[in-house]
Amino acid sequence: MNLILFGPPGAGKGTQADRLTSKRDWPKLSTGDMLRAAVAAGTEIGRKAKDIMDRGELVSDEIVVGIIADRIEQPDCRNGFILDGFPRNAAQAEALDAMLAEKGLDLDGAIEIRVVDSKLIDRINQRISESAEVRADDNADTLEKRLKVYHKETAPLLPYYEAQGKLRHVDGMQNIDDVASQIENVLKGLSGEDT
Ligand code: AMP
């Protein structure tokens, strides 16, 4: 299945994508993880992206679309993939449509993990206190910026997927296991519609 996970920063997209990946043959395609790897490796993309990421702004569409286009080509994506953090704006959504169309692929569903903003601040603070390696963009100021960007650029994509009948919602305020089982139910529904 080809899926997109939507949700604001700290909603648990990465965690849920990891869960799905561990149970199925669908790799997680996280532009955030790939960009952080590029920053750590000191590649040209990493050098271009670092300051933008630290500020909580969006890296250029050209960079992230290129990253995803290369990644989708890999053989492990043949059975499906989970997009985590992409697309994040209208231009990226259009680029994704074009990429999928070119490969004769379709999107099976887009799942929005809903969490209210106040809860996200608590979660990021928890992530900072629990993690050995703190992300440079995990702090209150950057989170505020990332949330603004999410509401302004990314949330407006949801009606686009809704209009295609592909959007489903889960309540991301529940614990990780509960959210995971809500997602499993969504997948059952989506695969039922396929058959
Ligand atoms: P994430 O791990 O998904 O929260 O992404 C961390 C940061 O990477 C974001 O705040 C952006 O600076 C950058 N980033 C990740 N995905 C994208 C994307 N699809 N478009 C632009 N910037 C992105």
Side-chain angles (χ1 to χ4, degrees):
M1 232 182 225
N2 303 325
L3 295 173
I4 305 176
L5 292 187
F6 280 111
K13 297 185 296 296
T15 304
Q16 296 299 335
D18 285 339
R19 288 251 179 149
L20 286 171
T21 292
S22 68
K23 288 174 102 180
R24 295 180 172 82
D25 220 2
W26 310 333
K28 156 171 125 169
L29 311 189
S30 159
T31 38
D33 284 354
M34 292 185 252
L35 288 167
R36 280 184 288 279
V39 170
T43 65
E44 195 191 336
I45 286 180
R47 279 195 299 276
K48 282 186 188 157
K50 184 179 185 314
D51 291 345
I52 302 170
M53 292 172 75
D54 288 351
R55 289 198 301 271
E57 292 167 9
L58 292 186
V59 172
S60 80
D61 295 334
E62 192 193 345
I63 289 181
V64 290
V65 168
I67 288 179
I68 290 293
D70 288 347
R71 187 63 187 85
I72 282 180
E73 289 290 336
Q74 304 299 312
D76 64 334
C77 289
R78 263 197 305 255
N79 294 325
F81 48 80
I82 305 155
L83 289 166
D84 160 16
F86 181 94
R88 253 178 158 96
N89 62 22
Q92 294 178 19
E94 280 165 25
L96 176 64
D97 282 350
M99 248 184 261
L100 294 177
E102 197 191 317
K103 292 182 188 314
L105 295 174
D106 206 4
L107 190 69
D108 295 286
I111 304 175
E112 181 198 6
I113 304 178
R114 286 183 165 165
V115 182
V116 297
D117 286 7
S118 57
K119 178 96 177 171
L120 298 168
I121 298 171
D122 297 346
R123 288 213 183 149
I124 296 274
N125 284 331
Q126 197 181 346
R127 189 149 92 187
I128 294 168
S129 67
E130 284 172 0
S131 167
E133 230 174 90
V134 175
R135 281 172 48 169
D137 59 352
D138 269 353
N139 60 69
D141 289 346
T142 314
L143 175 65
E144 202 177 313
K145 176 76 194 177
R146 287 158 68 205
L147 275 173
K148 267 194 192 138
V149 172
Y150 179 77
H151 291 300
K152 182 163 178 269
E153 304 272 348
T154 311
L157 298 180
L158 298 173
Y160 176 68
Y161 293 102
E162 175 104 71
Q164 296 172 35
K166 295 202 168 141
L167 187 66
R168 302 290 183 276
H169 311 279
V170 296
D171 175 5
M173 306 283 278
Q174 308 301 317
N175 66 42
I176 291 173
D177 287 340
D178 285 346
V179 178
S181 61
Q182 291 178 63
I183 292 178
E184 286 300 331
N185 283 336
V186 165
L187 296 185
K188 267 187 218 143
L190 288 172
S191 58
E193 287 162 22
D194 274 355
T195 54

